Amino acid sequence: NDLFYEILGRRIQSVFEILAGKQSNIRETSMTGRIDLMSDALFEFAQSPLLGMGINSFVSRYGYFSHNDFLELLVTVGLVGVVTYYMQYIFIVQNTSHAGGTSRYFIWVALIQIFITHCFVVFYYQKLEILFIAFLVSLSKIELSGDKHVKTRR
């Protein structure tokens, strides 16, 4: 029981203390370290906001990823790259926003989960992420074409 608290409980307690605005009695380098990296990422983004500083520039300079996909992309590829990257998500939302099938709820829940995950990790370059987004794009196209097919049959 003490081992479980040492591994996980202390971190959870520290996160709640920090979120409540209290000074944590537990040295939580993970949370404060992430906040520092995100702050550094915002600084780096401000240096080259349009096109970014280049792929892997943040991790090359700081030794760590920024722990936030949005910030990592802003730093490395700038606003142009972020808009280009997230166009696939806009495409998925457009395809499913007017569709009537039940798979659109799965797609929306998956997108929400992805966006939440992007707030805490750098995942955009992972093969599994790329495959999952390709699956969602395909599913959204099927959803859209299936909905059009049903409307034309009526």
Side-chain angles (χ1 to χ4, degrees), residues 15-143:
V15 167
F16 281 113
E17 288 172 353
I18 291 168
L19 290 174
K22 299 177 183 174
Q23 179 66 36
S24 177
N25 293 331
I26 300 165
R27 181 159 160 67
E28 179 55 66
T29 57
S30 176
M31 183 71 161
T32 57
R34 285 174 188 250
I35 291 170
D36 290 343
L37 286 169
M38 289 178 193
S39 176
D40 292 338
L42 286 171
F43 173 79
E44 295 295 339
F45 165 64
Q47 306 307 306
S48 184
L50 192 59
L51 297 175
M53 301 178 77
I55 298 295
N56 289 330
S57 60
F58 189 85
V59 72
S60 294
R61 181 171 286 183
Y62 292 92
Y64 296 97
F65 287 104
S66 65
H67 292 295
N68 182 303
D69 247 354
F70 305 109
L71 293 175
E72 190 76 25
L73 285 166
L74 283 170
V75 169
T76 59
V77 294
L79 289 170
V80 172
V82 168
V83 169
T84 303
Y85 178 79
Y86 282 104
M87 287 300 292
Q88 61 192 345
Y89 295 96
I90 293 168
F91 178 80
I92 294 168
V93 170
Q94 282 180 328
N95 282 346
T96 58
S97 63
H98 300 294
T102 56
S103 62
R104 74 177 168 165
Y105 299 114
F106 166 78
I107 294 169
W108 289 350
V109 167
L111 287 176
I112 291 167
Q113 180 272 328
I114 288 169
F115 282 114
I116 290 170
T117 302
H118 284 195
C119 291
F120 302 103
V121 296
V122 174
F123 209 61
Y124 69 88
Y125 63 91
Q126 297 288 331
K127 292 176 186 167
L128 185 59
E129 167 100 353
I130 295 165
L131 288 173
F132 191 64
I133 295 304
F135 169 73
L136 291 179
V137 167
S138 301
L139 188 58
S140 72
K141 286 296 283 181
I142 292 167
E143 187 73 23

